[in-house]
């Protein structure tokens, strides 16, 4: 069994122990309440019977059985929870009934007879918890037999018997039991709900672990695949360039055009591979940042130099006023990648117009913005712009190639160097990307 499974089973057992303990606790409490109640009622029954016996003492001494019977009836009238009030005596070793209330059976049962004999012998009261049948059905009673002892002769004059109906207290206990059961059931339901939630959390944790594993595999795959792709494309590019520039084998114009397309497509493939490689490096935390003072204008000028031709061919005017005093604290290579991507996009997503690069200084930061008068984008698209592989799909972008990785990559670079990037844009008007980087001291 795996460790994970064992841990789940262990936790489930612990969680199930909570309702189990609730049940045990409730039944222990209920049974002790019942015991205390029973004891209390027995004492009451005992006391009541002693009082009855004393009330009857004179009539018993006088053997006035009619009077006794009247008194018993009176007592029962005033205390209806008392049942089977009776007085017994012993005549020639046989237990006989001397007086009784009408609810007492005529026949003296074997058990009553034995109980009375025991009371006479021990000269002590005896209490017994029993179920008896009455005209109202079966009821539970505490039956107490109390000996009435003649103080002068020290003989047992008679035994007074009475039963105390415990139905009321039974009802009370049943109610307590019911409430306890309800609380226990609620407790069990809550614990079950917790258990269910817990199991879902376990499932989430498992999925998260799995996702991490998949991410790692994907990252590893990207890393290997891009490395493997990079070398053949570099070789292809080399051969195409050689063929195009070989003075000994001049090519026809047609072939030159075809090879130029092949070269451009190889470049495109190269860019994709480079982007994928960067993504995998970022994800594995393998990007190195050699932070140092970098004159930002120098970097921008260098990039603009490379884009002069293409901008001209698209009738795009590039506006930039370099400021050599501006120095950011960043990795020179990354800064070049960041602004290459932004300037490339500004030209790529403009049909014509202007691309303006400008700087501003605020506190310890230098903001560099790249503004274009291109196709722009909606607020909805702007929200997802920095997600991996996100490309705006529209009639205007469908013929523009790209990977949707550039902005995600540069955002990681910028943030890892302590900066930030923001975008503002309007469809049909243009876009403004603003990069803030720490100023060198
Ligand atoms: P790529 O350009 O390779 O598709 P990016 O991550 O650089 O990937 O850009 C993501 C998407 O953002 C692009 O596909 C494009 O739709 C949109 N985008 C980026 N820059 C601009 C811009 N200057 N003007 C309009 N849309 C842009």
């Amino acid at each position: 069994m795996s460790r994970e499974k064992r841990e789940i089973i262990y936790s489930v057992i612990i969680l199930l122990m909570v309702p189990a303990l609730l049940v045990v606790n409730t039944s222990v409490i209920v049974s002790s309440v019942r015991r205390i109640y029973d004891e209390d009622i027995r004492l009451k029954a005992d006391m009541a019977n002693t009082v009855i016996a004393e009330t009857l003492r004179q009539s018993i001494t006088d053997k006035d059985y009619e009077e006794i019977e009247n008194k018993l009836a009176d007592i029962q009238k005033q205390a209806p929870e008392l049942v089977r009030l009776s007085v017994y005596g012993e005549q020639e070793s046989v237990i006989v009934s001397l007086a009784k209330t009408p609810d007492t059976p005529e026949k003296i049962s074997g058990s009553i007879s034995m109980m009375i004999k025991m009371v006479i012998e021990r000269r002590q009261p005896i209490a017994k918890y029993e179920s008896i049948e009455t005209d109202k059905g079966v009821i539970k009673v505490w039956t107490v037999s109390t000996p009435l002892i003649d103080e002068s002769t020290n003989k047992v004059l008679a035994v007074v018997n009475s039963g105390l109906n415990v139905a009321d207290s039974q009802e009370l206990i049943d109610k307590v039991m019911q409430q306890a059961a309800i609380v226990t059931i609620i407790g069990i339901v809550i614990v079950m709900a917790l258990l269910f939630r817990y199991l879902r959390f376990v499932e989430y944790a498992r999925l998260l672990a799995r996702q991490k594993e998949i991410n790692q595999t994907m990252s590893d795959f990207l890393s290997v695949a891009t490395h493997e792709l990079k070398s053949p494309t570099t070789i292809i590019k080399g051969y195409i360039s050689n063929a195009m520039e070989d003075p000994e084998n001049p090519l026809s114009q047609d072939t030159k055009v075809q090879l130029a397309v092949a070269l451009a497509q190889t470049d495109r493939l190269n860019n994709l591979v480079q982007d994928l490689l960067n993504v995998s490096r970022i994800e594995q935390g393998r990007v190195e940042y050699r932070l140092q003072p970098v004159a930002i204008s120098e970097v921008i000028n260098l990039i603009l130099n490379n884009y002069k031709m293409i901008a001209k061919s698209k009738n795009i005017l590039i506006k930039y006023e370099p400021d050599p005093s501006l120095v950011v604290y960043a990795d020179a290579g990354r800064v070049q990648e960041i602004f290459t991507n932004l300037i490339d996009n500004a030209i790529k997503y403009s049909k014509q117009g202007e691309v303006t690069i400008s700087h501003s200084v605020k506190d310890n930061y230098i903001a560099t913005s790249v503004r274009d008068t291109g196709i722009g984008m909606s607020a909805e698209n702007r929200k997802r712009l920095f997600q991996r592989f996100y490309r705006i799909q529209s009639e205007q972008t469908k013929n523009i190639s790209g990977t949707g990785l550039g902005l995600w990559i540069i955002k990681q670079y910028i943030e890892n160097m302590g900066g930030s990037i923001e975008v503002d844009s309007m469809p049909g008007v243009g876009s403004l990307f603003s990069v803030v980087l720490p100023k060198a001291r």
Side-chain angles (χ1 to χ4, degrees):
M1 201 190 290
S2 71
R3 215 183 116 223
E4 195 185 307
K5 254 194 192 150
R6 260 197 321 240
E7 267 175 20
I8 293 177
I9 291 174
Y10 177 67
S11 317
V12 169
I13 289 173
I14 288 190
L15 271 174
L16 286 178
M17 270 169 78
V18 177
L21 278 176
L22 264 174
V23 172
V24 170
N25 187 38
T26 311
S27 51
V28 166
I29 288 176
V30 167
S31 70
S32 57
V33 166
R34 174 168 283 176
R35 239 195 356 262
I36 292 166
Y37 253 92
D38 275 358
E39 185 64 15
D40 193 43
I41 288 168
R42 196 187 67 78
L43 283 174
K44 274 189 191 144
D46 210 358
M47 230 157 65
N49 209 41
T50 310
V51 173
I52 295 168
E54 285 309 321
T55 315
L56 300 175
R57 181 179 283 278
Q58 194 54 53
S59 310
I60 289 172
T61 315
D62 298 347
K63 297 196 165 110
D64 187 348
Y65 300 125
E66 219 185 287
E67 174 70 6
I68 299 171
E69 212 145 274
N70 287 340
K71 279 186 179 165
L72 288 180
D74 267 358
I75 293 169
Q76 199 176 39
K77 217 190 254 167
Q78 278 168 41
E81 61 270 32
L82 288 172
V83 296
R84 293 189 177 178
L85 295 157
S86 43
V87 178
Y88 297 100
E90 194 179 28
Q91 285 171 6
E92 289 152 11
S93 297
V94 178
I95 300 301
V96 290
S97 170
L98 303 176
K100 65 179 190 62
T101 49
D103 62 332
T104 315
E106 280 303 330
K107 201 171 163 278
I108 302 171
S109 70
S111 71
I112 295 229
S113 175
M114 241 170 68
M115 187 161 152
I116 305 294
K117 274 190 174 162
M118 223 144 77
V119 172
I120 294 172
E121 211 168 280
R122 288 195 200 164
R123 306 161 73 82
Q124 290 280 340
I126 290 181
K128 193 166 106 189
Y129 187 67
E130 59 184 353
S131 306
I132 58 167
E133 214 163 308
T134 65
D135 46 358
K136 284 178 209 132
V138 177
I139 57 167
K140 298 258 184 193
V141 291
W142 268 108
T143 301
V144 184
S145 304
T146 310
L148 193 66
I149 298 164
D150 184 346
E151 273 147 18
S152 53
T153 60
N154 213 17
K155 267 190 173 169
V156 176
L157 286 174
V159 175
V160 177
N161 231 40
S162 71
L164 180 64
N165 189 349
V166 299
D168 285 352
S169 52
Q170 191 66 42
E171 222 171 75
L172 205 71
I173 290 178
D174 284 349
K175 230 184 209 162
V176 172
M177 279 272 270
Q178 245 175 31
Q179 282 168 356
I182 290 171
V183 171
T184 308
I185 289 169
I186 292 174
I188 291 173
V189 168
I190 291 173
V191 169
M192 286 302 169
L194 278 175
L195 188 69
F196 185 67
R197 262 196 98 72
Y198 169 78
L199 287 178
R200 274 186 42 192
F201 276 130
V202 169
E203 182 61 16
Y204 285 148
R206 216 178 53 79
L207 284 177
L208 205 71
R210 177 102 188 93
Q211 198 182 14
K212 265 191 188 161
E213 220 172 83
I214 291 171
N215 275 355
Q216 186 57 44
T217 315
M218 196 175 98
S219 206
D220 291 349
F221 167 76
L222 271 183
S223 167
V224 174
T226 46
H227 267 116
E228 291 305 311
L229 281 168
K230 237 179 128 68
S231 25
T233 49
T234 312
I235 295 169
I236 294 168
K237 258 184 86 171
Y239 277 112
I240 296 175
S241 302
N242 285 349
M244 282 170 87
E245 285 153 22
D246 187 357
E248 282 171 29
N249 295 303
L251 301 172
S252 71
Q253 195 53 34
D254 262 7
T255 316
K256 271 189 180 165
V257 170
Q258 280 167 20
L259 285 184
V261 172
L263 203 59
Q265 290 303 318
T266 316
D267 273 338
R268 205 178 136 193
L269 184 61
N270 236 0
N271 286 342
L272 171 66
V273 171
Q274 189 58 49
D275 275 355
L276 289 177
L277 195 61
N278 287 339
V279 169
S280 105
R281 275 197 197 124
I282 291 169
E283 285 192 330
Q284 291 174 354
R286 288 194 293 113
V287 181
E288 269 182 45
Y289 298 93
R290 272 193 221 119
L291 302 181
Q292 58 188 350
V294 178
I296 187 124
S297 288
E298 260 177 47
V299 178
I300 304 276
N301 271 334
L302 208 78
I303 300 167
L304 291 181
N305 217 20
N306 292 335
Y307 279 91
K308 253 194 309 206
M309 298 292 284
I310 174 133
K312 207 172 164 199
S313 73
K314 284 185 83 175
N315 210 6
I316 291 171
L317 179 67
I318 294 181
K319 288 185 176 171
Y320 179 51
E321 272 180 35
D323 182 348
S325 73
L326 300 177
V327 182
V328 292
Y329 191 67
D331 180 296
R334 304 292 160 230
V335 172
Q336 182 163 359
E337 279 180 67
I338 292 164
F339 292 103
T340 302
N341 187 286
L342 291 179
I343 292 166
D344 187 81
N345 278 352
I347 295 171
K348 200 159 77 167
Y349 297 105
S350 297
K351 286 200 184 81
Q352 60 197 28
E354 288 174 9
V355 171
T356 314
I357 298 120
S358 58
H359 304 288
S360 66
V361 182
K362 199 165 181 247
D363 301 330
N364 293 325
Y365 291 92
I366 294 173
T368 305
S369 12
V370 180
R371 180 195 294 273
D372 65 57
T373 52
I375 59 174
M377 68 195 82
S378 67
E380 197 52 42
N381 287 329
R382 225 158 50 211
K383 275 191 221 149
R384 300 183 54 197
L385 205 60
F386 294 98
Q387 289 176 3
R388 262 191 319 178
F389 296 109
Y390 180 71
R391 301 202 71 219
I392 299 168
Q393 306 293 344
S394 71
E395 199 52 37
Q396 286 163 302
T397 58
K398 74 173 185 203
N399 291 323
I400 304 173
S401 73
T403 58
L405 288 171
L407 287 180
W408 182 84
I409 292 171
I410 67 165
K411 188 172 195 274
Q412 311 307 308
Y413 289 164
I414 294 166
E415 287 175 355
N416 284 331
M417 294 191 297
S420 62
I421 178 165
E422 270 174 27
V423 57
D424 198 5
S425 181
M426 256 177 99
V429 176
S431 309
L432 170 74
F433 285 84
S434 184
V435 177
V436 173
L437 287 170
K439 194 165 85 173
R441 281 158 204 269

